[in-house]
Amino acid sequence: MADVDYLDRIPNNVNLKESRRLLRALEEWQPRFLEWWQEMGPEGFQANQVYLRTAVSVDPQGWAVFDWVKMPEYRWGIFLAEPEADRRIGFGDHRGQPAWPEVPGEHRGTLRRLIVTQGDTEPASVEQQRQLGRTCPSLYDLRNIFQVNVEEGRHLWAMVYLLQAYFGRDGREEAEALLQRRSGDRDKPRILGAFNEKTPDWLSYFMFCFFTDRDGKYQLASLQESGFDPLSRTCRFMLTEEAHHMFVGETGVGRIVQRACELMREHRADDVGRHGGIDLPMLQRYINFHYSVSLDLFGSEISTNAANYYTTGVKGRYEEGKKDDDHRLQESTYPVTALEGDGVVTREMPALVALNERLRDDYIADCQRGVDRWNAIIKRHGIDVELRLPHKGFHRAIGAFGEARVSPDGRVVTEAEWTARRDEWLPTEKDATHLAGLMIPMIEPGKFANWIAPPSRGINGQPLDFEYVKLSRRNEER
Ligand SMILES: [Fe+2]
Ligand SMILES: [Fe+2]
């Protein structure tokens, strides 16, 4: 009976009941996950009822139920998208061969590393955001951040499932280590740079969701092409959750843009900071920062690792199936932007080693579409300002531009010019102080902080003044 009860708490479609070894491994891991959640999850709201959606199946129409849940009681589950009958590997040397139901011995190390790297970002973002509940701009936003947090927790479960089900003892050790590292910790940091940055305020949070979480979407989309079928199916389902995270980021920034425009019109001034808003130049600085650190996540422009992942069928391209070429890329080239002397040039390089750059370009195009929608909001207010993505080489730490100083408009600049203009291009101490002053919690249902416009609609058809999080006296006394 204990098993049944336990399975009730881990919704899954992987037939956990049938595999005793795996069940036992997850049983051992679960309490440690919950300890981690209590210690590193959203601070101050663990006892509150939150209006959350929970995955209960993988059916695109009916996978989510909405209900009141205390976060530590969220039903973190294991879901793989339905198998595709006779799925074949779509690229590389094994193109056309059946997908692998198990990990091929020769790809074990590579797959483990890819899964661990992806898995590490999931708890990292929860850790980065754990303080933000205290300064929420509305109950609607509070609920949304908690939704994102529990789903990142579920993504950790998804990766841990793969590690424990397919990688034996190594996998169990990695699953443990995923709970040991901490974002920003000097001794045990998270694996990737952007996931050790601070997310101190809600502007940074929305920017993070838009730019950094979107890297996750692109990594998942290319892992969804993997020849390793369980990984493919896991990522396919994770992407359905990721769509909401993208939504939170884009609409969050969009609502700040809208509020900035309203304040500009109302006060006939560009500097809306004085009127309790976030002005457009400051938004631009935050775009510059979050975009550039996120570009680094795609790795070096030229990478033999990336080529090997592709050739061996481990990791494909974004929308591999929709691309109209030979899916082997032995003969093709791809334009890569690089530094040459004092200039930025574009060169045709062998397509296989340029796969990181190609994924980064797909990502950039996606970011640009979001920025265009923000600009449409500005335009609707009759304001003549455009937000821009800075040049690819701006403020980069990894790859061809890692050593150079490049301006947002793509000029290689001297150290002196960089120092002189840094505060024009990147967030400043003053920005952070201004934001800190704005971050006053707004917890009355239907009310929104002055610096952000309300969304156009509520969650799951609920009104804007719905009590998305049930707060108690204890929350308010703080
Ligand atoms: Fe995630
Ligand atoms: Fe996400």
Side-chain angles (χ1 to χ4, degrees), residues 122-376:
E122 316 286 358
S125 64
V126 175
E127 293 166 359
Q128 287 169 297
Q129 295 160 16
R130 64 188 299 259
Q131 308 280 357
L132 289 173
R134 297 185 182 288
T135 55
C136 65
S138 71
L139 284 186
Y140 165 92
D141 291 292
L142 187 61
R143 177 264 168 210
N144 280 352
I145 194 173
F146 291 159
Q147 183 70 57
V148 172
N149 291 158
V150 294
E151 285 177 353
E152 300 304 9
R154 206 203 67 77
H155 290 178
L156 172 60
W157 272 85
M159 294 297 114
V160 161
Y161 160 73
L162 292 174
L163 289 168
Q164 299 212 346
Y166 296 95
F167 294 86
R169 181 213 279 241
D170 296 355
R172 285 197 293 283
E173 281 168 10
E174 295 285 14
E176 213 43 55
L178 284 166
L179 296 177
Q180 301 303 324
R181 286 185 288 271
R182 293 284 183 273
S183 176
D185 190 286
R186 241 196 22 211
D187 303 322
K188 285 185 168 184
R190 291 293 174 185
I191 296 170
L192 299 170
F195 291 87
N196 287 301
E197 299 280 348
K198 286 205 167 66
T199 313
D201 55 71
W202 282 75
L203 175 60
S204 305
Y205 167 67
F206 289 129
M207 290 285 176
F208 178 96
C209 286
F210 184 84
F211 288 111
T212 307
D213 218 13
R214 188 178 308 274
D215 157 72
K217 169 183 159 183
Y218 277 77
Q219 299 302 334
L220 292 176
S222 33
L223 291 173
Q224 153 186 270
E225 305 289 340
S226 180
F228 178 39
D229 201 45
L231 175 61
S232 163
R233 290 171 54 203
T234 300
C235 292
R236 225 188 309 150
F237 185 70
M238 288 165 79
L239 282 165
T240 61
E241 291 163 316
E242 216 54 73
H244 174 69
H245 310 176
M246 303 296 101
F247 162 87
V248 168
E250 184 182 327
T251 56
V253 177
R255 288 159 53 210
I256 298 174
V257 169
Q258 177 171 337
R259 188 63 189 141
C261 295
E262 288 167 5
L263 289 168
M264 283 168 84
R265 298 288 303 264
E266 195 179 316
H267 298 282
R268 300 174 189 285
D270 289 345
D271 170 20
V272 297
R274 282 187 299 140
H275 306 286
I278 298 174
D279 64 30
L280 297 176
M282 185 163 153
L283 280 166
Q284 181 65 62
R285 287 191 290 278
Y286 276 75
I287 290 173
N288 292 353
F289 175 77
H290 288 272
Y291 175 68
S292 55
V293 299
S294 303
L295 288 184
D296 275 340
L297 291 170
F298 291 84
S300 294
E301 290 84 355
I302 300 301
S303 160
T304 46
N305 275 346
N308 289 336
Y309 297 161
Y310 190 82
T311 309
T312 56
V314 163
K315 183 179 176 187
R317 286 173 294 178
Y318 179 67
E319 299 192 323
E320 184 69 47
K322 290 189 191 164
K323 295 201 174 0
D324 189 20
D325 54 27
D326 71 353
H327 302 274
R328 290 177 192 271
L329 309 180
Q330 300 285 355
E331 311 296 326
S332 17
T333 63
Y334 188 79
V336 174
T337 316
L339 213 53
E340 196 177 77
D342 281 349
V344 176
V345 296
T346 301
R347 272 202 221 96
E348 287 295 322
M349 298 297 285
L352 274 176
V353 290
L355 282 166
N356 283 346
E357 184 70 351
R358 183 178 205 135
L359 191 61
R360 182 162 28 232
D361 286 342
D362 288 331
Y363 165 86
I364 291 173
D366 200 22
C367 290
Q368 185 60 54
R369 285 188 285 273
V371 173
D372 290 345
R373 286 188 286 268
W374 297 337
N375 282 328

